[in-house]
Amino acid sequence: MSKLVARVFSGSPVNLSRLAKVLRSGGIVAAPTETVYGLAGNALDPKACRKIFRAKLRPATDPLIVHVLGLDDLDRYAYGNSSARLLARKFWPGPLTIVLRKRTMIPSVVSAGRNSVALRSPAHPLFRRLLRLSGVPLAAPSANPFGYVSPTTAEHVRSGLGLRIQHILNGGSCAIGLESTIVDLRDAKRPRILRPGAITRSQIEQVLKVPVRERRSAGRYAQAQVAPGMLTRHYSPRTSVILHAVLDKSSVLSGAQNQAWVFLAKPSRVSGKNIYWMDRQGDLERVARGLFAMLRRLDVAGYARLNFECAPGKEGMAAAINDRLRRAAAKA
Ligand code: AMP
Ligand code: MG
């Protein structure tokens, strides 16, 4: 493990060119996107990408998303198709990742040996400036030790990777707060959502005009648990998370004081030190934005258990929020 402690950089022009230089010369930099903070490296440089895997203790079987400036890059790094171009035109830059058959210039370390590549054009101005200044596509998984909650502030990155990386670009809190929607378009006629996010299934269906399937994510949770050694040695949430379809006064009263109770909206008839809410009104966009920070904060608050209320429904942002809640609960 490196002795160097990470430096946090503001997004000044001088800092950005310095960090872009780090990226061009094969180094890695944590940087904000509108979804979560990513740990970026030159996607065309296998050595840089291996540094990302090492810093995160990420298993080599988990492929990295490649971040690009825009539409032109679809066909540069992948074999695009009309569905992919339609979606990119509509949702890029933004929180949509598209999986396509990869071109050979994408090294196999990035695709974890598969013949596909996952591409996204992020909207965050600082990340876009890094892309422009470095002049290379940037592979970037979330900037946290593998298996822990994704970071939505520079401080989250520092607390997780501060001893393992040297450069963190500070862009404040992430506007969306959940990782991108991933849509598999290797078969253009049969789109499939691999991970729900802020771009919803119905938004994608409206553009493609065909039904979009959604993968049950159970496999991924199981996969995440394949490496318990790594998780416990580092930042695995220690506190168990229990999910509730609805939280009400009676569930809280029957629960213990050493548990946290997290409502979606501010509850009207319950109060106490261990009572929390995700957003005063339960607005799902704001819930998404604050979810990971809430999980992190409560994980170190000394509770025996964290009780979370799920978002109502199975569609849209609720699907994305509940997916992350289930992941948090599955690892407990
Ligand atoms: P993250 O860990 O947040 O960076 O998300 C990366 C996820 O994107 C992976 O775990 C896969 O589910 C998906 N993904 C990335 N690259 C590919 C690829 N080449 N083919 C299929 N899925 C991919
Ligand atoms: Mg991740």
Side-chain angles (χ1 to χ4, degrees):
M1 188 185 289
S2 162
K3 290 256 164 14
L4 284 160
V5 175
R7 252 191 79 185
V8 177
F9 296 81
S10 74
S12 69
V14 174
N15 286 346
L16 287 170
S17 33
R18 178 167 169 184
L19 296 176
K21 199 163 150 201
V22 169
L23 290 166
R24 267 201 314 277
S25 54
I28 58 176
V29 172
T33 81
E34 71 277 25
T35 60
V36 302
Y37 275 70
L39 183 57
N42 180 354
L44 304 179
D45 176 353
K47 264 197 193 150
C49 295
R50 278 195 285 273
K51 287 182 190 168
I52 297 174
F53 281 94
R54 272 204 303 277
K56 281 183 58 87
L57 302 174
R58 182 181 176 103
T61 49
D62 209 355
L64 307 179
I65 291 174
V66 176
H67 296 73
V68 297
L69 275 169
L71 203 59
D72 293 347
D73 298 302
L74 259 185
D75 287 285
R76 184 167 297 137
Y77 302 115
Y79 292 94
N81 53 49
S82 54
S83 302
R85 283 186 282 271
L86 274 175
L87 287 182
R89 214 167 274 133
K90 175 78 182 173
F91 298 115
W92 281 7
L96 181 74
T97 297
I98 301 175
V99 174
L100 291 166
R101 203 153 61 80
K102 80 173 189 72
R103 294 195 187 260
T104 51
M105 72 221 291
I106 296 293
S108 68
V109 58
V110 169
S111 63
R114 305 167 203 215
N115 63 2
S116 56
V117 62
L119 294 172
R120 175 163 101 87
S121 182
H124 198 293
L126 290 181
F127 203 99
R128 294 188 71 76
R129 257 176 251 156
L130 279 185
L131 280 168
R132 246 183 234 113
L133 289 169
S134 66
V136 293
L138 295 173
S142 54
N144 55 285
F146 179 72
Y148 197 61
V149 181
S150 292
T152 52
T153 67
E155 181 49 34
H156 292 163
V157 178
R158 213 184 52 79
S159 77
L161 294 177
L163 294 174
R164 308 183 66 88
I165 64 174
Q166 293 177 40
H167 304 94
I168 302 172
L169 175 57
N170 188 358
S173 295
C174 299
I176 291 174
L178 300 181
E179 304 88 346
S180 60
T181 304
I182 303 179
V183 61
D184 183 352
L185 279 176
R186 277 172 289 187
D187 181 347
K189 294 199 183 66
R190 311 188 75 209
R192 211 158 60 113
I193 290 179
L194 303 181
R195 177 173 73 189
I199 306 281
T200 66
R201 166 155 71 168
S202 69
Q203 282 178 292
I204 294 172
E205 286 179 335
Q206 271 167 36
V207 173
L208 296 184
K209 314 232 185 299
V210 292
V212 175
R213 293 175 301 157
E214 201 142 1
R215 181 173 75 175
R216 279 291 306 134
S217 340
R220 213 176 127 70
Y221 309 140
Q223 193 190 354
Q225 287 175 314
V226 168
M230 291 188 203
L231 298 180
T232 46
R233 257 201 335 274
H234 289 269
Y235 265 87
S236 176
R238 297 157 306 154
T239 322
S240 68
V241 173
I242 308 294
L243 306 184
H244 302 259
V246 182
L247 268 189
D248 55 26
K249 192 173 179 165
S250 63
S251 44
V252 174
L253 288 177
S254 66
Q257 273 304 312
N258 64 349
Q259 299 186 22
W261 300 88
V262 188
F263 290 74
L264 272 183
K266 185 174 192 294
S268 52
R269 289 157 44 242
V270 208
S271 62
K273 260 200 352 260
N274 58 339
I275 306 298
Y276 301 84
W277 51 91
M278 298 290 313
D279 175 64
R280 178 170 279 272
Q281 273 97 37
D283 173 82
L284 292 190
E285 273 180 30
R286 286 198 294 264
V287 169
R289 200 174 296 148
L291 176 62
F292 290 159
M294 178 71 92
L295 276 167
R296 284 168 174 268
R297 170 176 156 218
L298 295 183
D299 192 30
V300 296
Y303 288 111
R305 237 188 197 194
L306 312 177
N307 296 278
F308 272 83
E309 182 173 35
C310 292
K314 292 193 165 142
E315 298 298 319
M317 199 55 121
I321 290 167
N322 292 340
D323 172 78
R324 303 319 188 275
L325 283 173
R326 280 196 296 269
R327 286 178 202 236
K331 279 203 317 202

